[in-house]
Amino acid sequence: MIKTLAVMTSGGDSPGMNAAIRAVTRRALDRKLKVYGIYDGYEGLAKGGDAIRQLQWEDVGGLLQRGGTFLGTARSEKFRTREGRCQAARQMLEHKIEALVVIGGDGSLSGAHVLAQEWPEHVDQLRKEHEEFSSRGEIPNLQVIGLPGSIDNDLFGTDMSIGADTALNHILHAMDNLTSTAASHQRTFVIETMGRHCGYLALAATLAGGASWVLVPEEELELRWHQKMVDAIDKGRKIGRPHHIVIVAEGARHPDGLTITSNDIKRILTERLGLDVRVTVLGHVQRGGSPTAFDRILATRLGVAAVDTLLDAPDAPHCHMLGLVRNEVVATPLTTVVEKSRAVGVEIETGNYSQALELRGESFKNTLKLVKTLTRILPAQERHDDGVVAILTGGADAPGMNTAVSVAARCLLNQGIPVLGSRDAFMGLIRGDFIELDWDEMVGWVNRPSSEIGTARIDFKPADLAMIAENIQKHRIKGIIAIGGWGTYVKIAELAAQRENFDAFNIPMVLVPATIDNNLPLTEYCVGTDTALNNIIEAIDKIRHTAGATRRTFIVEVMGRQSGFLALMSALASGAEKAYIPEKGISLAELNTDVENLKKSFQYGKRLVIYLRNEMASFHYTTDFIRRLMEEESKDQFEVRTAVLGHVQRGGIPTAFDRILASRMGSTAALTLINAMQEQSTEISVLALSGRGTTTFPLPEAIKEMDLERGRPKHQWFLQLIETADALAKVHAGSGT
Ligand code: ADP
């Protein structure tokens, strides 16, 4: 069993690295390990001295919201030499470090791999040269765990690397801002994104940001690719598109292998179309800033798993990278990670683009295909006259609903199927109030908050069903896509139950999960949840800034209805000390313990403690009740304040994650419906993001998974993270801020 572990960051920094260091450190301390932080990457590991410092619980406090890495990173030429690595091995022996957790990109991970491979030889040499090591007993092999830290998202073995989500949000933010100025000036913008050989950021930004054209390194371009681009933009201008954005990944290439720069594109568009083109090279802004909720949670899960992997399988030789694959932590040998991650670059360098694309995998290929459909200036097929599809957004609004409507509508329109938006959810169906969704208009909806076609909560009156049936027939509605939450699922189930009475209801329907509460069956995430999570952690970060010198506890009330997802995940992402959730309820005994813990925390030097309370965690122990109880019991040792975040959580422009999820679900909803209509099936399908990707389930299966009495799904994957959240927020002597 190892006793001492070191953690380091190396290579290019990425937002979320601090969260990973914090998680590794705290989990390791909690499991009684001694922890060293290595400053300045491999340079520091070889140098030793003050570059290797012991880390305590409080050293990693207040870090979650900070971008970059507090341990610093450096590129190290020394470590590329055998001699440099032997110096590093010596430092590690001196500190009795038996395991190393390295957070970085493929370069950093190959460095770790080489060190682990050479370890026995370095130990032999050092034993021969130094008396202090030769007299030591057996020295075991070095255990190495790598964590993917890179904004480029170019690592094999993980769906997302730490930092990529934040970088993508920065790009989208820039695009949103440029779109508004471009629209007022009829401008065309060229945006260059980072990513080395990987087109992920460019592709995802095009999907989620509504760009007109994209160039990625993995796609083999035609010799006259620029002609196609010029034609498309010209056509767009002629039909009155107010603006255009062209995204170029830094690694994009001409078919002859030469790099395409953003200035090349500017020149082409200016010369050929006489456009006013502005170039924005986003550069290091993409790396900066506070990490998103997704990156903080990803980093935290992987950091905790790194320590657990080392301790729970002490006899296994560890030389792995841990990644998140389909929402599960998965270990892949470092050799495979490095080899496969680099292979794509090699294929691109040698002009084998199709092989490069193949290596990126199915999801990347599908996204590229979807982007090609969505960036079309006009639909591929003429509008036909075999009936229409109606789309509605139900219940409370959720950020990303517009994205889902926009993508679903365009996928249908592309096949020639006209699409109607039902105004104010089911009200439109009852009153026959629809708006025709038009291709060109839809492009601009991808980044709009709330729902343009309107949402509403209603209960059906008996007459309503007949009206809906009448309007389905009158408007020749052949299929329905309903985007919404719990209430929308229940309403669609009510229509299904009335099929015998109303023949019009015998059409295929698709449900898309969209609610900030993340309380729907079979899906790991719903559209809107990620935006709400980010709204919450931004608010908590701000509350932290008000701490001053006082000893203060904040009870922050968040939404989520009967699901504790938002409370628990935002506690994990913001470092809040506790989350009261409805799945566990609140007891008086627990509140007593909490008061004692608070007293202890403040005695140990904390200045601010944040407790989160889900709005329905307990009927009687309300947020205000808890505040009063704690204030009384604090005996003037600390103050208690409350902050009820309310509708701030629902607002704002949808995040990258929500827009991408909404795009995928929107396109799957359209395809599912088109298939069903062709096969004359009347199935009602429910979409879900599950271990297998975006999948569809028949409605009865989804209903079976709904605990209708409690108002939440029977299985909730995130409950497995309660232990992680508790472990990282424990009250420790000297636990600091
Ligand atoms: P990233 O980890 O972001 O890909 P780099 O490729 O610059 O960044 O790698 C970071 C550091 O990892 C390098 O400066 C070097 O010290 C070390 N490193 C990279 N590749 C190797 C290798 N093959 N052998 C030993 N060390 C390496």
Side-chain angles (χ1 to χ4, degrees), residues 344-478:
V344 185
V346 173
E347 299 295 355
I348 290 169
E349 289 295 342
T350 47
N352 291 325
Y353 300 100
S354 55
Q355 189 53 30
L357 191 58
E358 214 47 55
L359 288 171
R360 282 276 179 249
E362 257 341 272
S363 161
F364 191 94
K365 277 198 293 185
N366 289 339
T367 308
L368 186 61
K369 213 164 113 197
L370 180 58
V371 162
K372 296 273 147 157
T373 304
L374 298 179
T375 52
R376 292 184 68 91
I377 298 301
L378 289 169
Q381 289 187 33
E382 292 278 311
R383 185 192 152 114
H384 63 58
D385 203 23
D386 305 335
V388 307
V389 164
I391 302 185
L392 63 87
T393 52
D397 50 353
M401 278 180 162
N402 280 323
T403 319
V405 173
S406 160
V407 174
R410 278 184 286 161
C411 289
L412 290 158
L413 291 166
N414 199 44
Q415 303 287 319
I417 304 166
V419 188
L420 298 179
S422 170
R423 263 196 213 281
D424 298 335
F426 291 95
M427 300 302 285
L429 282 172
I430 297 169
R431 298 182 187 141
D433 186 5
F434 300 104
I435 34 172
E436 179 140 8
L437 302 182
D438 155 78
W439 179 271
D440 210 36
E441 167 77 10
M442 283 300 105
V443 179
W445 281 25
V446 285
N447 62 356
R448 296 206 191 154
S450 186
S451 169
E452 293 282 320
I453 54 176
T455 60
R457 284 202 183 108
I458 62 153
D459 287 319
F460 290 143
K461 292 191 261 339
D464 293 341
L465 296 178
M467 297 293 284
I468 293 176
E470 194 184 312
N471 281 317
I472 288 178
Q473 264 152 357
K474 185 166 148 202
H475 294 270
R476 302 174 59 230
I477 295 169
K478 303 288 182 219

Side-chain angles (χ1 to χ4, degrees), residues 567 571 575-580 584 590 594 609-613 726 729:
E577 279 73 5
K578 170 127 204 172
Y580 296 114
K584 285 174 72 178
E590 185 185 7
D594 291 343
V609 173
I610 293 185
Y611 279 12
L612 293 175
R613 180 183 174 281
D726 287 350

Side-chain angles (χ1 to χ4, degrees), residues 10-12 42 75-76 79-80 85 104-108 110-111 114 196:
S10 162
Y42 291 122
R75 301 227 141 88
S76 168
F79 195 77
R80 289 185 187 273
R85 293 190 293 273
D106 63 350
S108 308
S110 43
V114 175
R196 296 195 294 182

